[in-house]
Amino acid sequence: MNAPDDRYILNRDSAEYQRLRSQSQLWEDVTRQLLQQAGVRPGLRCLDVGCGPGEVMRMLGELVGPGGSVTGMDVDGPLGRKTAQQLGADGGAEFHFHEANVEQAEDVPGAPFDVTYARLLLFHVGDPVAVLRKLWRWTRPGGVLVVQDYDLATWESWPPLPAVAEIRRVFTAVAESAGRDIRTGFKLPWLLGQAGIGAPDGMDMAGRQVTLAEAVWQNKAVYDGVFPRAQQLGLADPAERQRLFDELDSAAQAGGCYTFTMPLMFGAWKRRAA
Ligand SMILES: C[S@@+](CC[C@H](N)C(=O)[O-])C[C@H]1O[C@@H](n2cnc3c(N)ncnc32)[C@H](O)[C@@H]1O
């Protein structure tokens, strides 16, 4: 369940956490490469804001090793605490978790960090520019800020499947009803400029095509992730959900050759003057 004052559009349940973990696998190489280009190396102290189920915390932990540390920050306290505990039990880097809403937090224990990182967070906040300013402030002089976010404009299939188009339409409507911009990733360099941080030192844009089976799974999981919000807005109901899922299942059973594109993942990093 979402907390009452929480404008997060996705569910907070085990199915949604599993979707986030599965999505992370698709972007594992892209994120690792960006972090390495940005200079993440053994011994550094990192902050991952909007850490969710902690797949990037795990990766940061591998990169910084036993002499380094990773602090996760998320408004979802139960998930973050469990994640940090599990990662800590695996050994290697030191792991911490700080429960906070980044839009309200003024400080975070351990700041400033060598590396401040956020993936798929800026899309979910009301004022991404204000959040970027905070992330910059929590980065030490000589440290680096790294952000990644989606541009959902490329979420589609060929040949077109009406269910995919409808799921994208519903997701977009739910996002926009909460004031979210589905092109946040595309706008990252401009957002950094608006925050007074300046043009990125490094940028990246990555795409992923997925199989029919993966696309069916991802589309169903995303739809379920926003289903309660969509229902509140009168954009979805259980019968419509069943109809869309049946259409996806029929496509999967029939097989065939499709192009399915995920949203594009944009990345940018900037080093603070020492
Ligand atoms: C789409 S998930 C991404 C999780 C993770 N960064 C990843 O890439 O797999 C967004 C995460 O940001 C968190 N979040 C959203 N709004 C937040 C806020 N205002 N303050 C802190 N965390 C927030 C959510 O709880 C969720 O865990």
Side-chain angles (χ1 to χ4, degrees), residues 51-52 76-87 97-99:
C51 59
D76 189 338
L79 175 66
R81 277 187 287 278
K82 192 169 159 204
T83 297
Q85 198 179 29
Q86 280 169 349
L87 290 169
F97 174 70
H98 179 61
E99 177 179 350

Side-chain angles (χ1 to χ4, degrees), residues 8 12 20 24 50-52 74-75 100-102 119-121 124:
Y8 191 53
R12 298 192 192 283
L20 291 175
S24 279
C51 59
D74 204 291
V75 72
N101 182 334
V102 69
R119 186 175 76 181
L120 303 175
L121 169 79
H124 288 287

Side-chain angles (χ1 to χ4, degrees), residues 96-117:
H96 306 280
F97 174 70
H98 179 61
E99 177 179 350
N101 182 334
V102 69
E103 300 200 79
Q104 291 158 9
E106 280 312 317
D107 217 340
V108 49
F113 291 87
D114 299 313
V115 180
T116 306
Y117 174 83

Side-chain angles (χ1 to χ4, degrees), residues 170 174 226-238:
V170 168
V174 170
V226 294
F227 186 75
R229 300 270 170 172
Q231 223 178 349
Q232 279 166 14
L233 293 167
L235 297 166
D237 60 54

Side-chain angles (χ1 to χ4, degrees), residues 29-52:
D29 294 351
V30 171
T31 295
R32 186 181 295 273
Q33 208 176 8
L34 188 72
L35 291 171
Q36 285 173 329
Q37 278 169 5
V40 181
R41 60 178 195 279
L44 297 188
R45 296 170 61 252
C46 311
L47 172 68
D48 180 1
V49 183
C51 59

